[in-house]
């Protein structure tokens, strides 16, 4: 486990946090790690976000995201239905509040995969949450992964890399950093942090 952790492994908190936030720059591998983890541990509940982004090939409404219009997103925000929301690289994203609170009330492990702005909002509103930063092994590898995924045109990749500079500088704000060198190792470490294994 020590191979992937950076910095000091935190002391266990007095009360086990049940809400885990996974954040990190676009393309670092958040979705890949979460998918790997949930293949063997489907009991880890991942919040499905709402977004104004258009679906990528293969993405399904209600599975990967709730794909909404700008007007629908306006309403979700105005009605207080989002636990947090942010604009990221030209699109808006938000976490539906009710589903998260319901799972937490049932004592289920809950995972959010969101950007830095959202992570900061959750830290303010849910003080017992644990914030995990997923870091790339290097800047060059991050660029390679984001470009190699082939889902965004060059100008969107540039916007995401601009955001990545800010996100990487915010690493010290997080409780734990995991370096995504190996998907299997990070998935195992995340499960351990969530007390799932
Ligand atoms: N440890 C790894 N080694 C090599 N490639 C990886 C690793 N983890 C993820 N990848 C690859 O990097 C690319 C980006 O991964 P992924 O889409 O999971 O990133 P993400 O952080 O969820 O991005 P976004 O925030 O844009 O949604 C994918 O092509 C994925 O296969
Ligand atoms: N603040 C929030 N950020 C979110 C949410 N859902 C996803 N995200 C983050 O947005 C970027 C881009 O995602 P992509 O699917 O378009 O590549 C990435 O960092 C996600 O983690 C959310 O509900 N709130």
């Amino acid at each position: 486990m020590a191979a992937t952790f950076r910095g000091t492994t935190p002391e266990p908190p007095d009360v086990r946090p049940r809400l885990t936030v996974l954040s990190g720059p676009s393309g670092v591998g958040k979705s890949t790690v979460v998918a790997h983890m949930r293949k063997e541990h489907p009991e880890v509940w991942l919040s499905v976000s709402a977004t104004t982004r258009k679906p990528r090939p293969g993405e399904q409404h209600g599975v990967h995201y709730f794909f909404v219009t700008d007007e629908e997103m306006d309403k979700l925000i105005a009605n207080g239905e989002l636990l947090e929301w942010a604009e990221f690289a030209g699109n808006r994203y938000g976490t539906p509040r009710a589903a998260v609170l319901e799972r937490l009330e049932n004592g289920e492990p809950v995972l959010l995969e969101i950007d830095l702005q959202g992570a900061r909002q959750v830290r303010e509103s849910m003080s017992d949450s644990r914030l995990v930063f997923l870091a790339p092994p290097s800047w060059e590898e991050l660029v390679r992964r984001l470009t190699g995924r082939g889902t965004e045109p060059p100008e969107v990749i540039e916007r995401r890399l601009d955001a990545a500079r800010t996100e990487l500088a915010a690493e010290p704000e997080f409780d734990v950093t995991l370096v995504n060198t190996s998907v299997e190792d990070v998935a195992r470490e995340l499960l351990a942090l969530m007390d799932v294994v």
Side-chain angles (χ1 to χ4, degrees), residues 22-27 30-31 47-51 53-54 56 59 64-65 67 73 82 84-89 91-96 112-119 121 146 149 151-152 160 167:
L22 182 65
S23 205
S26 178
K30 300 179 295 296
S31 303
S47 166
V48 178
S49 299
T51 184
R53 171 168 76 63
K54 297 285 169 271
R56 294 176 186 141
E59 283 186 332
H64 300 92
Y65 279 108
F67 295 99
M73 184 62 93
L82 300 180
E84 60 72 35
W85 71 273
E87 181 162 345
F88 180 88
N91 294 298
R92 285 184 290 171
Y93 300 81
T95 302
L112 307 187
E113 189 201 314
I114 61 178
D115 86 324
L116 170 65
Q117 306 166 77
Q121 293 170 45
L146 188 53
R149 189 171 67 186
T151 50
E152 273 78 29
R160 287 175 178 242
E167 298 196 283

Side-chain angles (χ1 to χ4, degrees), residues 9 20 29 36 39 41 44 52 62 67 73 89 92 105 126 130 134 150 153 162 164 175 177 183:
T9 306
T20 303
H36 185 81
K39 218 166 15 175
H41 290 277
V44 175
T52 57
F67 295 99
M73 184 62 93
R92 285 184 290 171
E105 273 159 27
M126 316 275 285
R130 176 176 274 173
L134 193 61
D162 267 355
D175 299 311
T177 294
V183 172

Side-chain angles (χ1 to χ4, degrees):
M1 184 172 281
T4 300
F5 276 106
R6 182 149 67 201
T8 315
T9 306
E11 290 296 314
D14 294 340
V15 178
R16 180 165 66 85
R18 288 175 301 148
L19 177 61
T20 303
V21 174
L22 182 65
S23 205
S26 178
V28 70
K30 300 179 295 296
S31 303
T32 305
V33 165
V34 170
H36 185 81
M37 177 180 152
R38 293 183 72 229
K39 218 166 15 175
E40 294 196 2
H41 290 277
E43 72 272 24
V44 175
W45 186 78
L46 175 69
S47 166
V48 178
S49 299
T51 184
T52 57
R53 171 168 76 63
K54 297 285 169 271
R56 294 176 186 141
E59 283 186 332
Q60 292 171 267
H61 183 78
V63 177
H64 300 92
Y65 279 108
F66 295 108
F67 295 99
V68 298
T69 61
D70 266 321
E71 292 70 27
E72 286 167 334
M73 184 62 93
D74 287 343
K75 274 193 199 144
L76 290 172
I77 294 167
N79 294 339
E81 290 182 54
L82 300 180
L83 182 64
E84 60 72 35
W85 71 273
E87 181 162 345
F88 180 88
N91 294 298
R92 285 184 290 171
Y93 300 81
T95 302
R97 183 193 300 278
V100 169
L101 297 185
E102 189 185 316
R103 293 323 188 285
L104 288 175
E105 273 159 27
N106 290 342
E108 294 174 43
V110 168
L111 183 60
L112 307 187
E113 189 201 314
I114 61 178
D115 86 324
L116 170 65
Q117 306 166 77
R120 286 175 171 158
Q121 293 170 45
V122 172
R123 186 185 52 202
E124 291 305 310
S125 61
M126 316 275 285
S127 57
D128 64 346
S129 55
R130 176 176 274 173
L131 268 52
V132 180
F133 187 79
L134 193 61
S138 66
W139 175 260
E140 291 70 26
E141 177 61 14
L142 178 67
V143 175
R144 212 167 9 249
R145 287 183 192 174
L146 188 53
T147 311
R149 189 171 67 186
T151 50
E152 273 78 29
E155 63 275 16
V156 176
I157 290 180
E158 273 315 307
R159 285 186 84 162
R160 287 175 178 242
L161 289 175
D162 267 355
R165 289 188 184 88
T166 306
E167 298 196 283
L168 289 170
E171 180 191 327
E173 296 178 29
F174 286 75
D175 299 311
V176 183
T177 294
L178 301 174
V179 183
N180 183 15
T181 304
S182 149
V183 172
E184 292 75 18
D185 288 352
V186 174
R188 195 172 49 248
E189 286 154 2
L190 197 50
L191 284 165
L193 279 172
M194 295 182 75
D195 267 350
V196 174
V197 286

